Amino acid sequence: MELNRTAQLRQLMTEYLQQFAMMASRFDGTTDRSAELVTVIDAYSAFITDEANRAAWEQLEQEAGPELARLAEELRRTSARCVSIMEKYRALKLLNGNAARTEYFQNIESCIETEFGSFQISSGSKVLMVGAGSFPMTPLMIARRTDAEVIGIDIDAEAVRLGRKVAELLGSGLRIRLERASVEQLADAGDLTHIIFSSTIAQKYELLDRLHPLTNGRVVAAVRYGDRLKSLFNYPSQQVDARKWKLVDTILRPDHVFDIALYQKA
């Protein structure tokens, strides 16, 4: 019997989860399995942005209960882990003289162009990227195009080590600093003008809250997120404390893997 659209969607989610879990468990610090992971993540990016899947997901949400929520959470967590691994693959390949682009990375890079909408970054800006990763393309692109000072932080020591090597190779002379640090350890948090949160950080809204007393009154925060079908690949948006932050704009991008919420101090 042919499966209906929602059953097909649930089956695809289960299959993607199995693939991501397998590839995450096989990562050994080399690039031996990079091609396989790139193929799956590019296919998953297309799955997430396929308009035909959106209606099926909304129907599935209405029909299903806690089991679907658990499947979605596990898929979100495991795919985020694989994105981190893919960044390490890309960094290792670059450092070994074999640079490559993927559909996923091109999708992310095209989002950077209008990350802050009307809150433009200039040479006098100081930008913080939370979750810079092993291949810090957002800090590199911002520093190269605007001459702004960019700080990238990550809790993954290996990601910071690789990210520094990538930045040294691709961004020599640019004002980029990569650190393994918490937001409270940033000595110059009060000077930040812009903050960007990676969409695959589960605690990004908690970190936004913790940054509130550390930052000045003019700072703008761009929180990358994914709701509905996109929540299978990104951590979704949340309500913020209206006494601390106010939502000033939402940049919806149907053809991109995540959307962007812009906040200012309340």
Side-chain angles (χ1 to χ4, degrees), residues 73 131 170 183:
E73 171 59 29
L170 298 181
V183 294

Side-chain angles (χ1 to χ4, degrees), residues 5-25:
R5 189 69 178 174
T6 55
Q8 289 176 342
L9 192 67
R10 185 194 290 267
Q11 181 174 306
L12 278 171
M13 289 170 60
T14 302
E15 290 173 357
Y16 273 121
L17 176 58
Q18 292 170 347
Q19 292 181 74
F20 284 136
M22 178 184 65
M23 286 182 282
S25 68

Side-chain angles (χ1 to χ4, degrees), residues 121-263:
I121 298 172
S122 68
S123 60
S125 301
K126 179 175 283 193
V127 184
L128 172 66
M129 176 77 204
V130 181
S134 305
F135 201 99
M137 55 189 166
T138 296
L140 282 164
M141 292 182 74
I142 289 175
R144 183 179 297 120
R145 295 180 186 183
T146 67
D147 197 32
E149 180 180 355
V150 187
I151 305 163
I153 60 173
D154 205 293
I155 61 172
D156 184 337
E158 179 69 4
V160 173
R161 184 185 70 81
L162 288 170
R164 285 173 175 168
K165 290 185 176 182
V166 170
E168 182 179 349
L169 182 62
L170 298 181
S172 177
L174 298 177
R175 295 191 292 163
I176 298 176
R177 187 173 90 235
L178 301 176
E179 299 181 5
R180 184 173 184 241
S182 68
V183 294
E184 287 83 4
Q185 291 173 317
L186 292 171
D188 45 0
D191 299 327
L192 296 173
T193 59
H194 301 74
I195 305 169
I196 304 172
F197 291 89
S198 168
S199 67
T200 55
I201 296 178
Q203 304 85 8
K204 56 194 173 191
Y205 278 93
E206 176 192 335
L207 294 172
L208 178 66
D209 191 68
R210 285 161 53 187
L211 275 164
H212 183 272
L214 305 176
T215 50
N216 64 67
R218 300 177 304 281
V219 70
V220 180
V223 178
R224 297 173 175 176
Y225 73 95
D227 287 342
R228 295 175 288 280
L229 181 62
K230 291 184 182 182
S231 71
L232 299 182
F233 206 10
N234 311 275
Y235 284 89
S237 61
Q238 296 179 20
Q239 291 292 321
V240 295
D241 186 338
R243 297 167 299 178
K244 297 180 178 179
W245 296 98
K246 62 178 180 179
L247 178 66
V248 294
D249 198 7
T250 301
I251 303 172
L252 299 176
R253 296 178 168 273
D255 298 328
H256 294 70
V257 291
F258 61 75
D259 299 313
I260 301 163
L262 290 177
Y263 299 91

Side-chain angles (χ1 to χ4, degrees), residues 41-154:
I41 287 187
D42 283 349
Y44 194 56
S45 299
F47 166 76
I48 292 298
T49 55
D50 186 346
E51 187 174 356
N53 292 329
R54 293 175 196 159
W57 169 253
E58 290 174 5
Q59 183 179 346
L60 185 60
E61 277 190 306
Q62 294 174 359
E63 296 174 355
E67 181 187 350
L68 177 68
R70 286 192 293 270
L71 174 60
E73 171 59 29
E74 187 67 10
L75 184 53
R76 183 185 306 125
R77 184 187 65 80
T78 311
S79 64
R81 166 67 177 146
C82 284
V83 167
S84 174
I85 291 171
M86 189 170 70
E87 289 191 358
K88 291 181 179 179
Y89 282 146
R90 191 185 189 191
L92 289 168
K93 284 190 169 188
L94 175 74
L95 297 173
N96 290 329
N98 183 20
R101 290 169 66 88
T102 74
E103 292 297 325
Y104 172 81
F105 281 117
Q106 291 180 54
N107 192 296
I108 297 291
E109 288 165 2
S110 64
C111 288
I112 295 171
E113 297 291 345
T114 55
E115 185 96 45
F116 284 97
S118 61
F119 298 97
Q120 305 227 340
I121 298 172
S122 68
S123 60
S125 301
K126 179 175 283 193
V127 184
L128 172 66
M129 176 77 204
V130 181
S134 305
F135 201 99
M137 55 189 166
T138 296
L140 282 164
M141 292 182 74
I142 289 175
R144 183 179 297 120
R145 295 180 186 183
T146 67
D147 197 32
E149 180 180 355
V150 187
I151 305 163
I153 60 173
D154 205 293

